[in-house]
Amino acid sequence: MSLVLDDTAVDRLDAFEAAGFGIPRYDVRAMRAATAERPAWVHFGAGNFFRSLHAVVAQQLLDAGHDTGIVLANLRDAAVVENSRATDDLFVNAVMREDGSLEPTVIASVAESHHLAPESDEGWARLTAVFENPSLQLVTLTVTEKGYATAPDDLVQGPGQVRGAIPALASLLLARFAAGAAPVALVSTDNFSDNGDRLASALRGVAEVWIAAGQAPPEFGVYLAGPSVAYPSTMVDRITPAPSAAVGEALAALGLQGTELHERGSGGPLAAFSNTEAVSYLVLEDAFPNGRPPFERSSVVLGDRETVARADRMKVCTCLNPLHTAMAVTGCLLGFTRIADMMQDADIRRLVVGVGAVEGLPVVDTPAGMDPKAFLREVIERRLPNPGLPDAPQRIAADTSQKVGIRFGETIRRHVAAGSAQSLTWIPFAIAAWIRYLLAIDDRGEPFERSPDPLLEQLDERLAPASGRGVRFGEPRTATAARELLADASIFGVDLVAAGVAPTVIAHLSTLLHGPGAVRAALYALAHS
């Protein structure tokens, strides 16, 4: 039977169920009507992570009796919203289990989707009306860490149909303020520590500029800083690679039409499905001044700010993200293209254990209700080796300059406080591997294309200065030229020279620079030491 995601699909969900798909257990049309009248949840950022986490949580709530869905806004690429609307805002979330099986579910929790670029009059009109509605309870965001910075050109325009996630959100909040200043929770669900505080700081910074320029009233700043606007912290975790052609073929074999991948103008594939792992975490600070959906009926873990902070540090600084970064830069050098394949490599597996269990767990934060050892064991034994996940080290290696300070810096600081920083070796090896990666020469001695990173040009200049005294492949003695970079706390989260870690990093880097095969040889030697 041919299964098509279109504007009649919600009337034919039994056919999807018969073909092995999970389906919504609520009246989709009634949900959309209720959301149009009483919107409660807006989300910024229509990517695959949203599809595999937020939209799934919303569907859990709807299946449990909640009556409104998500109003989705995307800011960058009109093709993303066009892709969503082409399937009537329906999509399939395919869970890839460790045994290789696929668990597809039709997700219908997106009630409506809108493009929010400056030229998108329809999107701005609808989102403005939603923000002016007192029913709005929360706005969640997945705009990546880069999305919290505002370009000067976007800032000076003032409020209105602006570009950039934070100015756009500030403009809509100004409309809400003018319409009665109803309360709202603004929830960053981007994957970095203290994300609630970061969102608050970014929004207030935009507001301050507008207020100083006379483009917004001073009371708007009071509103953003007062009790009516909350900035809950979150910890999010679900490994969600880009849509895979292999997963599309598997869904097509079940009868689903339109599973082809389409390249969007801004880069990356678009599809009528997302693919993800079975494990999922959303830990959420319970701070909602205008009420909230009944998250306790879903997989969401609710707690206070300290619980969220500990859960976040456990994941971001110890049990997952540092492992990902160490694997990614090393794997790119060694020519790997799949994370699951890397976990079959004994030396890389030892690297993962060394970064997480040997050097991370002794200084880990333990959140209430969670066991860091069990979390790490699940990562190493179930999640990273999952052959169904088409995740690539090249994806994870993107923007590493924005990640190393968070993923390694906190653990290094704690070891400094404990007097054990100079005994670290696995984390310094990962940092050295990143510097070696930045040379854009793989372990065979061949050039390779590095993943995008906003600091690549600056890092190239710092590691390979025009004087010719920079770090050079095949010349181990040049490793010392990285010392100035290692002292940069804005990148590493700590001055590695002052922390006493730089000598170990430089020693590792020296071995990695020997020539072809040096990365594998150094990793093997460390794994067997």
Side-chain angles (χ1 to χ4, degrees):
M1 178 179 291
S2 178
L3 303 173
V4 181
L5 293 173
D6 59 17
D7 58 3
T8 67
V10 296
D11 301 316
R12 296 179 285 102
L13 291 173
D14 55 341
F16 285 85
E17 186 174 30
F21 290 77
I23 61 171
R25 299 298 176 182
Y26 51 91
D27 185 329
V28 176
R29 298 193 191 282
M31 176 274 292
R32 291 175 175 174
T35 306
E37 181 182 354
R38 295 178 286 101
W41 184 351
V42 167
H43 183 82
F44 275 38
N48 295 301
F49 188 69
F50 159 76
R51 285 181 157 193
S52 293
L53 184 64
H54 308 70
V56 170
V57 166
Q59 180 133 308
Q60 293 170 353
L61 296 174
L62 290 159
D63 282 343
H66 191 55
D67 64 342
T68 60
I70 298 175
V71 177
L72 181 59
N74 202 62
L75 296 104
R76 295 178 57 194
D77 192 337
V80 175
V81 172
E82 292 167 3
N83 181 67
S84 183
R85 290 182 173 182
T87 57
D88 197 34
D89 288 326
L90 305 171
F91 66 93
V92 169
N93 186 56
V95 171
M96 298 170 290
R97 297 200 171 274
E98 298 94 303
D99 62 4
S101 63
L102 204 64
E103 186 178 292
T105 300
V106 177
I107 304 295
S109 56
V110 176
E112 53 189 89
S113 59
H114 303 279
H115 191 218
L116 207 59
E119 66 275 11
S120 304
D121 294 340
E122 178 270 336
W124 276 97
R126 175 56 182 153
L127 265 297
T128 299
V130 168
F131 271 73
E132 290 175 342
N133 196 322
S135 65
L136 181 63
Q137 295 177 325
L138 73 155
V139 182
T140 51
L141 297 89
T142 48
V143 295
T144 77
E145 191 164 6
K146 293 180 291 186
Y148 292 77
T150 299
D153 289 347
D154 297 335
L155 192 58
V156 298
Q157 293 179 18
Q161 294 184 199
V162 294
R163 195 176 305 279
I166 302 304
L169 179 58
S171 292
L172 292 167
L173 289 168
L174 183 58
R176 185 170 182 82
F177 168 76
V184 68
L186 307 175
V187 188
S188 169
T189 51
D190 280 295
N191 191 16
F192 54 84
S193 301
D194 302 318
N195 48 16
D197 290 340
R198 181 83 67 89
L199 176 57
S201 176
L203 271 172
R204 292 168 184 169
V206 170
E208 287 171 4
V209 171
W210 289 352
I211 291 167
Q215 297 167 317
E219 293 79 10
F220 179 53
V222 176
Y223 169 67
L224 292 180
S228 292
V229 180
Y231 304 88
S233 290
T234 64
M235 186 278 270
V236 295
D237 185 18
R238 195 168 206 185
I239 299 172
T240 305
S244 161
V247 172
E249 292 169 3
L251 294 174
L254 295 175
L256 184 64
Q257 301 298 300
T259 60
E260 303 83 7
L261 304 187
H262 305 281
E263 194 73 16
R264 58 184 178 182
S266 57
L270 288 172
F273 64 90
S274 54
N275 40 232
T276 190
E277 63 175 336
V279 177
S280 174
Y281 293 94
L282 172 52
V283 184
L284 180 58
E285 180 186 358
D286 198 356
F288 294 86
N290 201 32
R292 59 166 173 78
F295 285 123
E296 59 275 1
R297 300 183 191 176
S298 70
S299 58
V300 171
V301 176
L302 294 164
D304 59 17
R305 176 159 288 211
E306 181 59 23
T307 297
V308 175
R310 286 177 173 268
D312 180 74
R313 288 193 294 269
M314 178 193 71
K315 182 193 76 110
V316 173
C317 305
T318 304
C319 293
L320 176 60
N321 295 34
L323 283 59
H324 254 162
T325 292
M327 290 181 73
V329 294
T330 306
C332 289
L333 288 168
L334 294 175
F336 283 96
T337 58
R338 286 174 57 90
I339 291 294
D341 293 343
M342 294 180 66
M343 288 301 289
Q344 303 307 310
D345 185 297
D347 297 341
I348 292 176
R349 188 180 181 91
R350 186 70 183 92
L351 170 65
V352 167
V353 172
V355 170
V358 176
E359 296 182 351
L361 282 182
V363 293
V364 71
D365 263 336
T366 300
M370 300 182 77
D371 180 354
K373 289 183 179 179
F375 188 102
L376 180 62
R377 185 167 54 250
E378 181 181 61
V379 167
I380 295 174
E381 296 179 1
R382 289 186 55 198
R383 302 177 67 186
L384 295 178
N386 186 341
L389 277 175
D391 209 1
Q394 290 75 19
R395 179 190 76 86
I396 298 168
D399 303 329
T400 299
S401 70
Q402 309 299 294
K403 301 171 181 175
V404 287
I406 298 169
R407 298 184 177 192
F408 298 130
E410 178 65 21
T411 294
I412 292 171
R413 283 195 297 271
R414 289 179 178 233
H415 276 287
V416 168
S420 53
Q422 294 183 19
S423 69
L424 296 174
T425 190
W426 293 102
I427 291 174
F429 180 89
I431 293 171
W434 176 53
I435 296 174
R436 171 66 180 79
Y437 164 93
L438 289 171
L439 301 185
I441 300 173
D442 66 20
D443 200 34
R444 300 171 302 172
E446 300 292 332
F448 74 94
E449 183 177 354
R450 298 169 296 182
S451 300
D453 190 304
L455 294 187
L456 274 184
E457 184 175 344
Q458 177 192 131
L459 290 165
D460 286 344
E461 293 175 355
R462 296 176 73 172
L463 290 174
S467 65
R469 293 195 297 269
V471 177
R472 294 188 295 277
F473 176 72
E475 300 183 39
R477 293 181 181 179
T478 65
T480 56
R483 182 181 176 86
E484 179 268 336
L485 176 64
L486 296 174
D488 191 340
S490 70
I491 290 179
F492 294 103
V494 60
D495 179 338
L496 297 178
V497 175
V501 176
T504 310
V505 176
I506 291 171
H508 283 310
L509 180 58
S510 177
T511 65
L512 297 175
L513 290 172
H514 269 281
V519 175
R520 171 58 73 181
L523 180 60
Y524 178 86
L526 186 61
H528 292 81
S529 61

